[in-house]
Amino acid sequence: MASFLLTSVTVLLLSTTPGGRGSSYHKISPQLSKSLTKQEYTANVFVTFSQGTESVLATISAKSFPSRSARLDQVHDSLVSHAASTQDDTIQLLAQEGHPYKSIWITNQLYVPDATMDLVIKLASSPDVAYVSQEEVIPLHQPVYRGPVRKRGKVRPSGEWGIMKIKANEARSLLKSLGQNVSIVVSSIDTGVRGTHEALSSNWRDDGYGWYDPYDKSALPRDKDGHGTHTMGTICGSGGIGVYPEAKWMACRGCKGGCTQFALLSCAQWIACPTMANGTKRDCSKAPHVVSNSWGGGGGRNWFDRAIGVWHAAKIIPLFSNGNEGTACNTTGSPADSKNNVISVGSTTVDDALSFFSSVGPTFDGRMKPDVSAPGSNVLSASHKGDSEYQPMSGTSMACPHTAGVAAILLAGSKQEMEYDRVLQLLADGADTKSLLSGGRGCVGVTDKVFPNHQFGHGRVNAFNSLTKLIKESE
Ligand SMILES: *[C@@H]1O[C@H](CO)[C@@H](O)[C@H](O)[C@H]1NC(C)=O
Ligand SMILES: *[C@@H]1O[C@H](CO)[C@@H](O)[C@H](O)[C@H]1NC(C)=O
Ligand SMILES: *[C@@H]1O[C@H](CO)[C@@H](O)[C@H](O)[C@H]1NC(C)=O
């Protein structure tokens, strides 16, 4: 990281490097050049090819498939063969150099750890390569508040405040009365999950495809931070902390301290087509229906967009926390602001005001965000510290899983496979607006009293209202 200080040296180095390969320098990201100012320095890099994934995905979108798993197989298989054919020459170059690499099919990229500037220049010189950049390390959306870890104490029969506010239990009763028996699988990319926690142990999908840890390849769900146990507890924990405990869950450990680009993309691939915990026996039919993401960095960055595009092709619903950089305008983070569309979620308090930290739109290119909001201040959920320990936390990280749970309820209530647009529409149409407290704020001429707006989006989600609308519309 000391390399940040060496900008002026970089300029010198680049301007005095002998000619011949000059044309490849523009393909090397400025950040990477800054990090590799000395011959012996190395960096973890991503090689992006001129051939994207868009044409492959367009072909898939135009097709219809006899089953969900047939579609998932096609998404995986066609992207893998696309990556193999477009990466071939570059992989041969790395093999000649004896340098390790990982091929990433979901974005058609190569991950090359510990690359020197010499190697980076060779990679950039290939006509197939669009650019070479340094691996990003993305922060979790750290909770702005982590309260004391404690035993449960008195269990509220109606659930925690957020569960009550969004009428999750009313929606679950309605779902039961429909007599439908659709099994929904939810997932998160987070710090992991304490799989033995009393609120989460019974609905972990323990068929060998319920856990993946790109950092340590651990065999069973674990969480050394607490963030991921908490968010999964809110999606589907039992005992009144979770929105939809009837869902099964699976989880990928994208974050360990920070979240590396390699781990996040490995998780994105695993979500689209899961393997067993040791990375073998790929089975795309095990993909979840919903993926909840409570991580992100500053806005306007698009490095995760292709992964989101693949999730859409696979008909997996992506949700992201909007960020904890509010409440000034233009503070929505990435990938919450992705041009490829995700359901981004802002945070509300027990009084239905905007949480003081909740990030606000518009995006850098003027789109309205967040899409909806949900309870995120002082949310009690499962703790990683013990199987019967609980902890309050605050953040848009806590709001996103509430909404992921509602999305799962809607999917369970639908007779047919539901499209992303329909899920978002139902969340928006069912959201509460009248009870929300205006902060007297506004952005780009839209106040927070009219809906949708850049503070609350379409409003605070309401599972019962949205499910009721779904049922009425399908009658
Ligand atoms: C729902 O389906 C599962 C299998 O998918 C089955 O084990 C269970 O008995 C079913 N429940 C009802 C109420 O039909
Ligand atoms: C991976 O795990 C599965 C299930 O435990 C096992 O059957 C398989 O042999 C393992 N493969 C390797 C290469 O370790
Ligand atoms: C926020 O972003 C919008 C849309 O890009 C832009 O019009 C506006 O000037 C920005 N406002 C601030 C305070 O940066």
Side-chain angles (χ1 to χ4, degrees), residues 113-161:
D114 302 321
T116 60
M117 192 49 140
D118 267 0
L119 182 60
V120 166
I121 291 169
K122 280 183 192 154
L123 292 166
S125 304
S126 159
D128 303 332
V129 170
Y131 56 91
V132 186
S133 51
Q134 186 161 359
E135 179 178 37
E136 301 235 16
V137 180
I138 285 78
L140 274 173
H141 281 155
Q142 279 296 344
V144 296
Y145 166 71
R146 292 189 191 223
V149 174
R150 59 171 171 85
K151 297 279 178 214
R152 191 65 194 284
K154 190 161 168 277
V155 175
R156 295 183 214 180
S158 47
E160 290 302 316
W161 79 263

mmCIF file of all heavy atoms in Angstrom, residues 113-161:
data_model
loop_
_atom_site.group_PDB
_atom_site.id
_atom_site.type_symbol
_atom_site.label_atom_id
_atom_site.label_comp_id
_atom_site.label_asym_id
_atom_site.label_seq_id
_atom_site.Cartn_x
_atom_site.Cartn_y
_atom_site.Cartn_z
ATOM 1 N N PRO A 113 -2.432 -14.027 -9.656
ATOM 2 C CA PRO A 113 -1.862 -13.524 -8.405
ATOM 3 C C PRO A 113 -0.381 -13.212 -8.570
ATOM 4 O O PRO A 113 0.300 -13.804 -9.422
ATOM 5 C CB PRO A 113 -2.086 -14.688 -7.426
ATOM 6 C CG PRO A 113 -2.169 -15.911 -8.278
ATOM 7 C CD PRO A 113 -2.700 -15.472 -9.619
ATOM 8 N N ASP A 114 0.103 -12.275 -7.786
ATOM 9 C CA ASP A 114 1.540 -11.979 -7.676
ATOM 10 C C ASP A 114 2.204 -11.707 -9.025
ATOM 11 O O ASP A 114 3.264 -12.260 -9.331
ATOM 12 C CB ASP A 114 2.275 -13.142 -6.980
ATOM 13 C CG ASP A 114 1.714 -13.416 -5.596
ATOM 14 O OD1 ASP A 114 1.389 -12.423 -4.910
ATOM 15 O OD2 ASP A 114 1.589 -14.590 -5.211
ATOM 16 N N ALA A 115 1.615 -10.865 -9.818
ATOM 17 C CA ALA A 115 2.188 -10.537 -11.129
ATOM 18 C C ALA A 115 3.167 -9.376 -10.997
ATOM 19 O O ALA A 115 2.920 -8.417 -10.258
ATOM 20 C CB ALA A 115 1.078 -10.172 -12.106
ATOM 21 N N THR A 116 4.283 -9.461 -11.719
ATOM 22 C CA THR A 116 5.223 -8.338 -11.788
ATOM 23 C C THR A 116 4.833 -7.435 -12.960
ATOM 24 O O THR A 116 4.026 -7.827 -13.814
ATOM 25 C CB THR A 116 6.655 -8.837 -12.062
ATOM 26 O OG1 THR A 116 6.627 -9.541 -13.317
ATOM 27 C CG2 THR A 116 7.133 -9.773 -10.965
ATOM 28 N N MET A 117 5.437 -6.249 -13.053
ATOM 29 C CA MET A 117 5.164 -5.352 -14.173
ATOM 30 C C MET A 117 5.578 -5.998 -15.487
ATOM 31 O O MET A 117 4.875 -5.858 -16.493
ATOM 32 C CB MET A 117 5.879 -4.008 -13.974
ATOM 33 C CG MET A 117 5.415 -2.934 -14.934
ATOM 34 S SD MET A 117 3.600 -2.788 -15.036
ATOM 35 C CE MET A 117 3.356 -1.050 -15.107
ATOM 36 N N ASP A 118 6.656 -6.756 -15.469
ATOM 37 C CA ASP A 118 7.079 -7.461 -16.683
ATOM 38 C C ASP A 118 5.962 -8.346 -17.222
ATOM 39 O O ASP A 118 5.642 -8.331 -18.417
ATOM 40 C CB ASP A 118 8.282 -8.379 -16.365
ATOM 41 C CG ASP A 118 9.591 -7.666 -16.634
ATOM 42 O OD1 ASP A 118 9.526 -6.490 -17.064
ATOM 43 O OD2 ASP A 118 10.638 -8.287 -16.408
ATOM 44 N N LEU A 119 5.367 -9.125 -16.309
ATOM 45 C CA LEU A 119 4.301 -10.032 -16.711
ATOM 46 C C LEU A 119 3.052 -9.250 -17.136
ATOM 47 O O LEU A 119 2.405 -9.585 -18.135
ATOM 48 C CB LEU A 119 3.963 -10.997 -15.560
ATOM 49 C CG LEU A 119 2.884 -12.033 -15.862
ATOM 50 C CD1 LEU A 119 3.296 -12.927 -17.029
ATOM 51 C CD2 LEU A 119 2.579 -12.893 -14.625
ATOM 52 N N VAL A 120 2.757 -8.203 -16.409
ATOM 53 C CA VAL A 120 1.579 -7.391 -16.741
ATOM 54 C C VAL A 120 1.708 -6.829 -18.156
ATOM 55 O O VAL A 120 0.747 -6.841 -18.941
ATOM 56 C CB VAL A 120 1.388 -6.259 -15.702
ATOM 57 C CG1 VAL A 120 0.397 -5.211 -16.196
ATOM 58 C CG2 VAL A 120 0.931 -6.843 -14.365
ATOM 59 N N ILE A 121 2.905 -6.384 -18.499
ATOM 60 C CA ILE A 121 3.115 -5.823 -19.836
ATOM 61 C C ILE A 121 2.925 -6.905 -20.901
ATOM 62 O O ILE A 121 2.287 -6.673 -21.939
ATOM 63 C CB ILE A 121 4.512 -5.172 -19.941
ATOM 64 C CG1 ILE A 121 4.541 -3.912 -19.064
ATOM 65 C CG2 ILE A 121 4.850 -4.814 -21.389
ATOM 66 C CD1 ILE A 121 5.933 -3.343 -18.873
ATOM 67 N N LYS A 122 3.425 -8.103 -20.624
ATOM 68 C CA LYS A 122 3.227 -9.207 -21.575
ATOM 69 C C LYS A 122 1.744 -9.510 -21.767
ATOM 70 O O LYS A 122 1.270 -9.716 -22.881
ATOM 71 C CB LYS A 122 3.941 -10.464 -21.069
ATOM 72 C CG LYS A 122 5.430 -10.461 -21.339
ATOM 73 C CD LYS A 122 6.073 -11.768 -20.887
ATOM 74 C CE LYS A 122 7.589 -11.609 -20.908
ATOM 75 N NZ LYS A 122 8.265 -12.506 -19.979
ATOM 76 N N LEU A 123 1.022 -9.533 -20.641
ATOM 77 C CA LEU A 123 -0.421 -9.819 -20.720
ATOM 78 C C LEU A 123 -1.138 -8.730 -21.509
ATOM 79 O O LEU A 123 -1.963 -9.010 -22.381
ATOM 80 C CB LEU A 123 -1.015 -9.921 -19.307
ATOM 81 C CG LEU A 123 -0.558 -11.124 -18.468
ATOM 82 C CD1 LEU A 123 -0.940 -10.937 -16.997
ATOM 83 C CD2 LEU A 123 -1.168 -12.415 -19.014
ATOM 84 N N ALA A 124 -0.797 -7.485 -21.216
ATOM 85 C CA ALA A 124 -1.469 -6.357 -21.866
ATOM 86 C C ALA A 124 -1.157 -6.307 -23.356
ATOM 87 O O ALA A 124 -1.925 -5.761 -24.150
ATOM 88 C CB ALA A 124 -1.065 -5.055 -21.181
ATOM 89 N N SER A 125 -0.027 -6.894 -23.751
ATOM 90 C CA SER A 125 0.362 -6.845 -25.166
ATOM 91 C C SER A 125 -0.478 -7.765 -26.051
ATOM 92 O O SER A 125 -0.465 -7.631 -27.272
ATOM 93 C CB SER A 125 1.835 -7.249 -25.310
ATOM 94 O OG SER A 125 2.628 -6.421 -24.512
ATOM 95 N N SER A 126 -1.177 -8.703 -25.430
ATOM 96 C CA SER A 126 -1.998 -9.610 -26.235
ATOM 97 C C SER A 126 -3.173 -8.867 -26.864
ATOM 98 O O SER A 126 -3.856 -8.089 -26.191
ATOM 99 C CB SER A 126 -2.528 -10.745 -25.351
ATOM 100 O OG SER A 126 -3.661 -11.322 -25.965
ATOM 101 N N PRO A 127 -3.416 -9.107 -28.166
ATOM 102 C CA PRO A 127 -4.538 -8.420 -28.828
ATOM 103 C C PRO A 127 -5.898 -8.805 -28.241
ATOM 104 O O PRO A 127 -6.869 -8.076 -28.386
ATOM 105 C CB PRO A 127 -4.416 -8.865 -30.290
ATOM 106 C CG PRO A 127 -3.545 -10.080 -30.265
ATOM 107 C CD PRO A 127 -2.646 -9.961 -29.085
ATOM 108 N N ASP A 128 -5.994 -9.969 -27.566
ATOM 109 C CA ASP A 128 -7.270 -10.404 -26.980
ATOM 110 C C ASP A 128 -7.626 -9.626 -25.713
ATOM 111 O O ASP A 128 -8.774 -9.631 -25.270
ATOM 112 C CB ASP A 128 -7.202 -11.887 -26.572
ATOM 113 C CG ASP A 128 -6.844 -12.789 -27.730
ATOM 114 O OD1 ASP A 128 -7.156 -12.405 -28.872
ATOM 115 O OD2 ASP A 128 -6.251 -13.859 -27.488
ATOM 116 N N VAL A 129 -6.607 -8.998 -25.118
ATOM 117 C CA VAL A 129 -6.795 -8.401 -23.789
ATOM 118 C C VAL A 129 -7.223 -6.946 -23.917
ATOM 119 O O VAL A 129 -6.619 -6.160 -24.653
ATOM 120 C CB VAL A 129 -5.490 -8.526 -22.972
ATOM 121 C CG1 VAL A 129 -5.566 -7.700 -21.689
ATOM 122 C CG2 VAL A 129 -5.220 -9.998 -22.656
ATOM 123 N N ALA A 130 -8.294 -6.598 -23.187
ATOM 124 C CA ALA A 130 -8.778 -5.209 -23.196
ATOM 125 C C ALA A 130 -8.041 -4.385 -22.159
ATOM 126 O O ALA A 130 -7.598 -3.278 -22.435
ATOM 127 C CB ALA A 130 -10.272 -5.171 -22.926
ATOM 128 N N TYR A 131 -7.921 -4.899 -20.943
ATOM 129 C CA TYR A 131 -7.123 -4.204 -19.935
ATOM 130 C C TYR A 131 -6.748 -5.118 -18.784
ATOM 131 O O TYR A 131 -7.317 -6.194 -18.613
ATOM 132 C CB TYR A 131 -7.797 -2.918 -19.425
ATOM 133 C CG TYR A 131 -9.177 -3.080 -18.870
ATOM 134 C CD1 TYR A 131 -9.372 -3.326 -17.505
ATOM 135 C CD2 TYR A 131 -10.307 -2.963 -19.679
ATOM 136 C CE1 TYR A 131 -10.658 -3.460 -16.983
ATOM 137 C CE2 TYR A 131 -11.572 -3.097 -19.161
ATOM 138 C CZ TYR A 131 -11.740 -3.350 -17.816
ATOM 139 O OH TYR A 131 -12.996 -3.491 -17.304
ATOM 140 N N VAL A 132 -5.754 -4.653 -18.042
ATOM 141 C CA VAL A 132 -5.268 -5.379 -16.865
ATOM 142 C C VAL A 132 -5.387 -4.424 -15.683
ATOM 143 O O VAL A 132 -4.960 -3.269 -15.760
ATOM 144 C CB VAL A 132 -3.794 -5.816 -17.041
ATOM 145 C CG1 VAL A 132 -3.350 -6.688 -15.878
ATOM 146 C CG2 VAL A 132 -3.610 -6.563 -18.358
ATOM 147 N N SER A 133 -6.009 -4.901 -14.615
ATOM 148 C CA SER A 133 -6.237 -4.015 -13.479
ATOM 149 C C SER A 133 -5.863 -4.722 -12.186
ATOM 150 O O SER A 133 -5.753 -5.952 -12.143
ATOM 151 C CB SER A 133 -7.709 -3.585 -13.432
ATOM 152 O OG SER A 133 -8.535 -4.722 -13.512
ATOM 153 N N GLN A 134 -5.659 -3.944 -11.160
ATOM 154 C CA GLN A 134 -5.315 -4.526 -9.866
ATOM 155 C C GLN A 134 -6.571 -5.050 -9.190
ATOM 156 O O GLN A 134 -7.654 -4.459 -9.305
ATOM 157 C CB GLN A 134 -4.654 -3.473 -8.972
ATOM 158 C CG GLN A 134 -4.136 -4.065 -7.675
ATOM 159 C CD GLN A 134 -3.099 -3.183 -7.013
ATOM 160 O OE1 GLN A 134 -2.743 -2.126 -7.546
ATOM 161 N NE2 GLN A 134 -2.606 -3.619 -5.866
ATOM 162 N N GLU A 135 -6.438 -6.164 -8.468
ATOM 163 C CA GLU A 135 -7.580 -6.716 -7.744
ATOM 164 C C GLU A 135 -8.138 -5.685 -6.770
ATOM 165 O O GLU A 135 -7.397 -5.052 -6.031
ATOM 166 C CB GLU A 135 -7.170 -7.972 -6.965
ATOM 167 C CG GLU A 135 -8.331 -8.551 -6.173
ATOM 168 C CD GLU A 135 -7.985 -9.831 -5.416
ATOM 169 O OE1 GLU A 135 -6.856 -9.934 -4.906
ATOM 170 O OE2 GLU A 135 -8.854 -10.715 -5.359
ATOM 171 N N GLU A 136 -9.447 -5.544 -6.759
ATOM 172 C CA GLU A 136 -10.100 -4.652 -5.801
ATOM 173 C C GLU A 136 -10.347 -5.412 -4.508
ATOM 174 O O GLU A 136 -10.604 -6.617 -4.532
ATOM 175 C CB GLU A 136 -11.469 -4.204 -6.351
ATOM 176 C CG GLU A 136 -11.391 -3.475 -7.659
ATOM 177 C CD GLU A 136 -12.061 -2.124 -7.604
ATOM 178 O OE1 GLU A 136 -12.316 -1.622 -6.487
ATOM 179 O OE2 GLU A 136 -12.325 -1.563 -8.674
ATOM 180 N N VAL A 137 -10.272 -4.733 -3.409
ATOM 181 C CA VAL A 137 -10.717 -5.309 -2.137
ATOM 182 C C VAL A 137 -11.828 -4.401 -1.626
ATOM 183 O O VAL A 137 -11.623 -3.209 -1.390
ATOM 184 C CB VAL A 137 -9.575 -5.421 -1.121
ATOM 185 C CG1 VAL A 137 -10.092 -6.034 0.177
ATOM 186 C CG2 VAL A 137 -8.449 -6.274 -1.688
ATOM 187 N N ILE A 138 -13.032 -4.993 -1.556
ATOM 188 C CA ILE A 138 -14.230 -4.209 -1.272
ATOM 189 C C ILE A 138 -14.581 -4.355 0.203
ATOM 190 O O ILE A 138 -14.490 -5.453 0.760
ATOM 191 C CB ILE A 138 -15.392 -4.683 -2.171
ATOM 192 C CG1 ILE A 138 -15.193 -4.171 -3.605
ATOM 193 C CG2 ILE A 138 -16.734 -4.163 -1.703
ATOM 194 C CD1 ILE A 138 -14.221 -4.885 -4.416
ATOM 195 N N PRO A 139 -14.971 -3.272 0.865
ATOM 196 C CA PRO A 139 -15.345 -3.417 2.274
ATOM 197 C C PRO A 139 -16.724 -4.043 2.432
ATOM 198 O O PRO A 139 -17.563 -3.959 1.533
ATOM 199 C CB PRO A 139 -15.362 -1.977 2.788
ATOM 200 C CG PRO A 139 -15.580 -1.132 1.581
ATOM 201 C CD PRO A 139 -15.048 -1.879 0.397
ATOM 202 N N LEU A 140 -16.931 -4.706 3.545
ATOM 203 C CA LEU A 140 -18.294 -5.018 3.942
ATOM 204 C C LEU A 140 -18.990 -3.687 4.151
ATOM 205 O O LEU A 140 -18.323 -2.703 4.447
ATOM 206 C CB LEU A 140 -18.282 -5.688 5.313
ATOM 207 C CG LEU A 140 -18.093 -7.162 5.419
ATOM 208 C CD1 LEU A 140 -17.943 -7.506 6.892
ATOM 209 C CD2 LEU A 140 -19.302 -7.874 4.850
ATOM 210 N N HIS A 141 -20.317 -3.669 4.069
ATOM 211 C CA HIS A 141 -20.994 -2.499 4.609
ATOM 212 C C HIS A 141 -21.025 -2.697 6.124
ATOM 213 O O HIS A 141 -21.948 -3.289 6.662
ATOM 214 C CB HIS A 141 -22.404 -2.351 4.020
ATOM 215 C CG HIS A 141 -22.382 -1.751 2.646
ATOM 216 N ND1 HIS A 141 -23.364 -1.953 1.716
ATOM 217 C CD2 HIS A 141 -21.481 -0.937 2.048
ATOM 218 C CE1 HIS A 141 -23.057 -1.293 0.606
ATOM 219 N NE2 HIS A 141 -21.926 -0.671 0.782
ATOM 220 N N GLN A 142 -19.963 -2.275 6.773
ATOM 221 C CA GLN A 142 -19.858 -2.495 8.219
ATOM 222 C C GLN A 142 -21.060 -1.890 8.920
ATOM 223 O O GLN A 142 -21.442 -0.762 8.620
ATOM 224 C CB GLN A 142 -18.567 -1.865 8.760
ATOM 225 C CG GLN A 142 -17.338 -2.720 8.547
ATOM 226 C CD GLN A 142 -17.377 -4.045 9.307
ATOM 227 O OE1 GLN A 142 -18.174 -4.224 10.238
ATOM 228 N NE2 GLN A 142 -16.528 -4.979 8.908
ATOM 229 N N PRO A 143 -21.643 -2.631 9.848
ATOM 230 C CA PRO A 143 -22.738 -2.040 10.619
ATOM 231 C C PRO A 143 -22.252 -0.763 11.294
ATOM 232 O O PRO A 143 -21.094 -0.700 11.738
ATOM 233 C CB PRO A 143 -23.049 -3.117 11.663
ATOM 234 C CG PRO A 143 -22.509 -4.384 11.109
ATOM 235 C CD PRO A 143 -21.345 -3.997 10.243
ATOM 236 N N VAL A 144 -23.082 0.254 11.346
ATOM 237 C CA VAL A 144 -22.679 1.475 12.032
ATOM 238 C C VAL A 144 -22.801 1.283 13.543
ATOM 239 O O VAL A 144 -22.302 2.078 14.331
ATOM 240 C CB VAL A 144 -23.508 2.693 11.586
ATOM 241 C CG1 VAL A 144 -23.263 2.985 10.116
ATOM 242 C CG2 VAL A 144 -24.984 2.480 11.833
ATOM 243 N N TYR A 145 -23.473 0.211 13.945
ATOM 244 C CA TYR A 145 -23.629 -0.086 15.367
ATOM 245 C C TYR A 145 -23.690 -1.589 15.541
ATOM 246 O O TYR A 145 -24.412 -2.282 14.822
ATOM 247 C CB TYR A 145 -24.910 0.567 15.893
ATOM 248 C CG TYR A 145 -25.384 0.078 17.247
ATOM 249 C CD1 TYR A 145 -24.695 0.402 18.416
ATOM 250 C CD2 TYR A 145 -26.534 -0.706 17.358
ATOM 251 C CE1 TYR A 145 -25.145 -0.049 19.658
ATOM 252 C CE2 TYR A 145 -26.990 -1.152 18.593
ATOM 253 C CZ TYR A 145 -26.280 -0.819 19.744
ATOM 254 O OH TYR A 145 -26.724 -1.266 20.955
ATOM 255 N N ARG A 146 -22.862 -2.137 16.449
ATOM 256 C CA ARG A 146 -22.972 -3.531 16.866
ATOM 257 C C ARG A 146 -23.180 -3.511 18.364
ATOM 258 O O ARG A 146 -22.287 -3.131 19.115
ATOM 259 C CB ARG A 146 -21.688 -4.311 16.575
ATOM 260 C CG ARG A 146 -21.382 -4.525 15.095
ATOM 261 C CD ARG A 146 -20.212 -5.510 14.956
ATOM 262 N NE ARG A 146 -19.742 -5.531 13.576
ATOM 263 C CZ ARG A 146 -19.425 -6.635 12.897
ATOM 264 N NH1 ARG A 146 -19.491 -7.823 13.473
ATOM 265 N NH2 ARG A 146 -19.012 -6.579 11.647
ATOM 266 N N GLY A 147 -24.358 -3.897 18.831
ATOM 267 C CA GLY A 147 -24.673 -3.848 20.261
ATOM 268 C C GLY A 147 -24.109 -5.046 20.990
ATOM 269 O O GLY A 147 -23.424 -5.889 20.409
ATOM 270 N N PRO A 148 -24.398 -5.124 22.295
ATOM 271 C CA PRO A 148 -23.874 -6.232 23.103
ATOM 272 C C PRO A 148 -24.455 -7.582 22.677
ATOM 273 O O PRO A 148 -25.633 -7.678 22.333
ATOM 274 C CB PRO A 148 -24.313 -5.875 24.525
ATOM 275 C CG PRO A 148 -25.404 -4.874 24.367
ATOM 276 C CD PRO A 148 -25.175 -4.159 23.087
ATOM 277 N N VAL A 149 -23.605 -8.624 22.719
ATOM 278 C CA VAL A 149 -24.061 -9.988 22.453
ATOM 279 C C VAL A 149 -24.756 -10.491 23.709
ATOM 280 O O VAL A 149 -24.253 -10.303 24.812
ATOM 281 C CB VAL A 149 -22.855 -10.893 22.110
ATOM 282 C CG1 VAL A 149 -23.282 -12.343 21.967
ATOM 283 C CG2 VAL A 149 -22.183 -10.410 20.835
ATOM 284 N N ARG A 150 -25.922 -11.099 23.533
ATOM 285 C CA ARG A 150 -26.672 -11.549 24.710
ATOM 286 C C ARG A 150 -27.532 -12.760 24.396
ATOM 287 O O ARG A 150 -27.765 -13.092 23.230
ATOM 288 C CB ARG A 150 -27.537 -10.409 25.229
ATOM 289 C CG ARG A 150 -28.541 -9.877 24.198
ATOM 290 C CD ARG A 150 -29.472 -8.909 24.895
ATOM 291 N NE ARG A 150 -30.350 -8.161 24.024
ATOM 292 C CZ ARG A 150 -31.526 -8.592 23.574
ATOM 293 N NH1 ARG A 150 -31.932 -9.822 23.815
ATOM 294 N NH2 ARG A 150 -32.280 -7.801 22.837
ATOM 295 N N LYS A 151 -28.020 -13.410 25.479
ATOM 296 C CA LYS A 151 -29.000 -14.477 25.297
ATOM 297 C C LYS A 151 -30.304 -13.840 24.835
ATOM 298 O O LYS A 151 -30.516 -12.636 24.994
ATOM 299 C CB LYS A 151 -29.229 -15.221 26.614
ATOM 300 C CG LYS A 151 -27.992 -15.925 27.131
ATOM 301 C CD LYS A 151 -27.794 -17.258 26.439
ATOM 302 C CE LYS A 151 -26.518 -17.902 26.953
ATOM 303 N NZ LYS A 151 -25.811 -18.676 25.932
ATOM 304 N N ARG A 152 -31.186 -14.679 24.333
ATOM 305 C CA ARG A 152 -32.406 -14.150 23.756
ATOM 306 C C ARG A 152 -33.293 -13.431 24.762
ATOM 307 O O ARG A 152 -33.867 -12.396 24.480
ATOM 308 C CB ARG A 152 -33.185 -15.302 23.099
ATOM 309 C CG ARG A 152 -34.325 -14.856 22.240
ATOM 310 C CD ARG A 152 -33.767 -14.071 21.060
ATOM 311 N NE ARG A 152 -34.796 -13.332 20.375
ATOM 312 C CZ ARG A 152 -35.680 -13.881 19.552
ATOM 313 N NH1 ARG A 152 -35.640 -15.173 19.314
ATOM 314 N NH2 ARG A 152 -36.602 -13.154 18.971
ATOM 315 N N GLY A 153 -33.439 -14.012 25.954
ATOM 316 C CA GLY A 153 -34.389 -13.432 26.903
ATOM 317 C C GLY A 153 -35.794 -13.686 26.416
ATOM 318 O O GLY A 153 -36.076 -14.713 25.787
ATOM 319 N N LYS A 154 -36.674 -12.714 26.612
ATOM 320 C CA LYS A 154 -38.075 -12.889 26.266
ATOM 321 C C LYS A 154 -38.238 -12.878 24.735
ATOM 322 O O LYS A 154 -37.804 -11.953 24.066
ATOM 323 C CB LYS A 154 -38.878 -11.751 26.873
ATOM 324 C CG LYS A 154 -40.370 -11.932 26.789
ATOM 325 C CD LYS A 154 -41.059 -11.007 27.805
ATOM 326 C CE LYS A 154 -42.542 -10.935 27.555
ATOM 327 N NZ LYS A 154 -42.904 -9.973 26.503
ATOM 328 N N VAL A 155 -38.818 -13.949 24.216
ATOM 329 C CA VAL A 155 -39.061 -14.005 22.776
ATOM 330 C C VAL A 155 -40.414 -13.362 22.491
ATOM 331 O O VAL A 155 -41.420 -13.721 23.078
ATOM 332 C CB VAL A 155 -39.062 -15.469 22.275
ATOM 333 C CG1 VAL A 155 -39.427 -15.529 20.801
ATOM 334 C CG2 VAL A 155 -37.711 -16.117 22.512
ATOM 335 N N ARG A 156 -40.398 -12.369 21.625
ATOM 336 C CA ARG A 156 -41.682 -11.754 21.253
ATOM 337 C C ARG A 156 -42.412 -12.689 20.294
ATOM 338 O O ARG A 156 -41.864 -12.992 19.224
ATOM 339 C CB ARG A 156 -41.456 -10.422 20.551
ATOM 340 C CG ARG A 156 -40.836 -9.384 21.432
ATOM 341 C CD ARG A 156 -40.735 -8.081 20.648
ATOM 342 N NE ARG A 156 -39.533 -7.351 21.054
ATOM 343 C CZ ARG A 156 -39.184 -6.187 20.540
ATOM 344 N NH1 ARG A 156 -39.899 -5.615 19.607
ATOM 345 N NH2 ARG A 156 -38.099 -5.579 20.969
ATOM 346 N N PRO A 157 -43.612 -13.133 20.661
ATOM 347 C CA PRO A 157 -44.313 -14.097 19.816
ATOM 348 C C PRO A 157 -44.543 -13.552 18.398
ATOM 349 O O PRO A 157 -44.528 -14.299 17.418
ATOM 350 C CB PRO A 157 -45.649 -14.329 20.530
ATOM 351 C CG PRO A 157 -45.643 -13.491 21.748
ATOM 352 C CD PRO A 157 -44.372 -12.733 21.837
ATOM 353 N N SER A 158 -44.691 -12.237 18.297
ATOM 354 C CA SER A 158 -44.965 -11.660 16.977
ATOM 355 C C SER A 158 -43.684 -11.340 16.218
ATOM 356 O O SER A 158 -43.729 -10.847 15.101
ATOM 357 C CB SER A 158 -45.795 -10.402 17.145
ATOM 358 O OG SER A 158 -45.244 -9.604 18.160
ATOM 359 N N GLY A 159 -42.531 -11.616 16.819
ATOM 360 C CA GLY A 159 -41.277 -11.368 16.112
ATOM 361 C C GLY A 159 -40.653 -10.038 16.491
ATOM 362 O O GLY A 159 -41.261 -9.211 17.171
ATOM 363 N N GLU A 160 -39.418 -9.848 16.049
ATOM 364 C CA GLU A 160 -38.700 -8.605 16.312
ATOM 365 C C GLU A 160 -39.363 -7.442 15.564
ATOM 366 O O GLU A 160 -40.194 -7.651 14.679
ATOM 367 C CB GLU A 160 -37.240 -8.767 15.879
ATOM 368 C CG GLU A 160 -36.452 -9.705 16.767
ATOM 369 C CD GLU A 160 -36.450 -9.261 18.231
ATOM 370 O OE1 GLU A 160 -36.273 -8.055 18.499
ATOM 371 O OE2 GLU A 160 -36.623 -10.124 19.111
ATOM 372 N N TRP A 161 -38.957 -6.210 15.898
ATOM 373 C CA TRP A 161 -39.699 -5.048 15.380
ATOM 374 C C TRP A 161 -39.737 -5.006 13.856
ATOM 375 O O TRP A 161 -40.761 -4.649 13.263
ATOM 376 C CB TRP A 161 -39.172 -3.740 15.985
ATOM 377 C CG TRP A 161 -37.895 -3.196 15.389
ATOM 378 C CD1 TRP A 161 -36.635 -3.366 15.874
ATOM 379 C CD2 TRP A 161 -37.765 -2.375 14.219
ATOM 380 N NE1 TRP A 161 -35.725 -2.730 15.076
ATOM 381 C CE2 TRP A 161 -36.380 -2.100 14.049
ATOM 382 C CE3 TRP A 161 -38.673 -1.848 13.289
ATOM 383 C CZ2 TRP A 161 -35.891 -1.328 12.984
ATOM 384 C CZ3 TRP A 161 -38.187 -1.079 12.228
ATOM 385 C CH2 TRP A 161 -36.812 -0.827 12.089
#
